[in-house]
Amino acid sequence: MNEAADEDVAIEVLTEGPCQRRFKTIVSAQRVQADLNKNYQQLRNQVKLPGFRPGKVPRSVLEKRFAKDVEKDVREDLMRVVFGEEI
């Protein structure tokens, strides 16, 4: 994780009962965009699509075909990292 992680994430712990806590997490848009960029770059290096040389697939093509998967991966990675830090 990067060094500026503390500035990119705000965590609030809400008490909902004697044994219940709820985490409210806000992640900066810059952090999310950086993670999206990193994941698309990794995908670009790994994917093989007809008509494109390896590593040369335009991001717009990747976004059309894999946007839901990449966004899901970024969301899960951010939740895992942020929750792991808080615990």
Side-chain angles (χ1 to χ4, degrees):
M1 198 160 105
N2 63 16
E3 309 253 10
D6 296 337
E7 299 169 3
D8 294 339
V9 178
I11 299 172
E12 183 179 350
V13 180
L14 306 170
T15 303
E16 294 193 343
C19 297
Q20 293 180 337
R21 303 291 185 267
R22 179 179 295 206
F23 291 99
K24 181 178 179 182
T25 305
I26 300 171
V27 180
S28 72
Q30 294 86 4
R31 171 74 181 271
V32 173
Q33 190 61 45
D35 285 0
L36 281 170
N37 291 340
K38 181 181 75 172
N39 280 21
Y40 275 116
Q41 185 61 41
Q42 289 174 348
L43 181 61
R44 174 181 286 142
N45 293 333
Q46 295 172 354
V47 74
K48 294 179 183 177
L49 293 177
F52 298 101
R53 293 180 295 166
K56 301 297 183 182
V57 179
R59 181 167 172 164
S60 60
V61 174
L62 294 174
E63 288 174 346
K64 286 180 184 176
R65 294 189 72 171
F66 302 105
K68 289 181 182 178
D69 295 328
V70 170
E71 290 171 6
K72 180 183 172 202
D73 289 344
V74 167
R75 188 179 313 113
E76 289 174 356
D77 287 345
L78 284 171
M79 286 192 312
R80 180 182 43 79
V81 168
V82 169
F83 187 71
E85 287 177 358
E86 185 59 30
I87 293 300

